Amino acid sequence: MALNKLFSSLTINSNLISRRAIHISAVNFASKPPIEKPKPGFGKSYRRIVHFPEKYTVKPLEVTNLAGRDPVTGRVVAKGIGGGIKHKYHWIDWLRDGPTEGPPQEEKVIQVMEDGCRTAHIALVAVGEKLKYILATENMKAGDILKTSRYLPRIPVRANEGDAYVLGALPTGTLVHCIEKEPGQGGLYVHAAGTYGTILRRQDDRIVVQMPSKRTFSFSPLCMAVVGRLSNVDHGDTPIGSPQRNRWLGNRPRSGLWKRKDGRHGRKIRPPKPVKEISASMNPPPAKIVRLTMVP
């Protein structure tokens, strides 16, 4: 009898403990809802919201700093992002469009300036009666004349720094940036300060370009690219100087936990990745939905 009572009390206590554990775990899970974290690439930005008008303008645009918070819920999503100094946003015209036949279009550089919302410097350019902003190259200065053309010649052209031509018109070894993914889409690749891609070779009817990450991409010869290396070359080598300036730049301090370097910091020898072909057929259009109606 005593043993039976002892076993029954033990089972009751174990049931109570398991119920409490389940309740506690459920409460903890319910108190932490799933948060959608930012993904690298063309995902959601948690640094700032730029208030774009309907038409393109060279007037500096208003910016709302998010400091790593979700604009809808207000929760901190990206912990390393801070508010930073308030900056105006200069709208870059990524599409360098020129004539498909005849002489190239000429554009004049009015001013080269710094931009607080990007690492590379920008240039104010006049095209006829229109003004626009583009990314400045390493040696670009006020008064330079830039050429833009979409004509694909039989013999490669000798382009100067800042000129925009299709990839098929440029010789092998040319340094390029602001490369289009598809013809007419606008410069999508290589925007950071001091970076550049290199035209390596022509493969069948494609142009193989080595990106700043040393990966090789294969583009259509009709994709536009701007010649030269991007400005602000010393951006990566310039020390920040003080923790306060790091906060001005919009970076929050780390946790302060000292961590010893482990094996992941060692030397690794990996084979180069294969050439990635950039084409318009990578994302096929969605299938059409056909509704069927019953005939009475």
Side-chain angles (χ1 to χ4, degrees), residues 254-262 264-265:
R254 303 297 179 107
S255 64
L257 177 65
W258 181 81
K259 299 171 79 172
R260 182 179 293 278
K261 289 186 177 180
D262 50 14
R264 72 185 183 87
H265 295 276

Side-chain angles (χ1 to χ4, degrees), residues 20-246:
R20 284 178 182 173
I22 291 168
H23 178 67
I24 290 167
S25 63
V27 168
N28 287 341
F29 180 76
S31 63
K32 294 181 180 179
I35 298 174
E36 184 184 352
K37 294 193 174 180
K39 296 178 181 179
F42 305 98
K44 206 172 180 183
S45 174
Y46 295 101
R47 184 172 292 276
R48 64 177 67 91
I49 295 176
V50 183
H51 304 287
F52 289 98
E54 293 184 0
K55 289 184 65 178
Y56 180 82
T57 177
V58 293
K59 181 181 177 182
L61 306 181
E62 296 291 335
V63 174
T64 300
N65 289 335
L66 295 177
R69 295 181 179 271
D70 189 278
V72 179
T73 62
R75 288 177 174 269
V76 175
V77 180
K79 292 186 176 180
I81 300 176
I85 297 178
K86 292 183 178 180
H87 289 288
K88 299 284 187 178
Y89 185 88
H90 298 88
W91 195 349
I92 303 293
D93 189 359
W94 298 110
L95 186 62
R96 293 284 296 271
D97 206 0
T100 55
E101 292 182 358
Q105 174 182 277
E106 292 190 349
E107 308 169 357
K108 186 174 182 179
V109 179
I110 306 299
Q111 184 185 1
V112 177
M113 65 187 82
E114 296 182 4
D115 187 9
C117 296
R118 66 184 71 252
T119 56
H121 296 164
I122 62 174
L124 181 64
V125 175
V127 187
E129 297 181 355
K130 179 187 173 184
L131 293 174
K132 64 178 183 179
Y133 287 114
I134 63 170
L135 296 185
T137 55
E138 183 179 4
N139 300 312
M140 188 178 288
K141 59 185 182 301
D144 289 351
I145 303 296
L146 312 179
K147 295 180 180 180
T148 305
S149 175
R150 282 191 178 272
Y151 175 62
L152 183 59
R154 189 172 56 86
I155 301 174
V157 299
R158 296 190 61 179
N160 296 321
E161 189 178 299
D163 294 348
Y165 288 93
V166 291
L167 286 171
L170 298 173
T172 304
T174 306
L175 306 185
V176 291
H177 64 272
C178 283
I179 310 168
E180 287 184 336
K181 183 177 182 180
E182 300 172 16
Q185 193 180 30
L188 191 69
Y189 296 102
V190 192
H191 292 168
T195 56
Y196 58 90
T198 308
I199 299 178
L200 293 183
R201 62 184 180 273
R202 298 167 188 272
Q203 189 172 359
D204 299 331
D205 59 341
R206 311 284 295 180
I207 307 296
V208 178
V209 180
Q210 186 183 44
M211 306 303 256
S213 61
K214 305 305 178 187
R215 283 204 63 182
T216 51
F217 284 11
S218 171
F219 293 94
S220 166
L222 298 177
C223 289
M224 289 286 285
V226 185
V227 179
R229 185 181 186 182
L230 280 165
S231 54
N232 201 7
V233 177
D234 297 329
H235 172 75
D237 300 329
T238 306
I240 293 173
S242 68
Q244 184 59 40
R245 185 167 182 269
N246 209 12

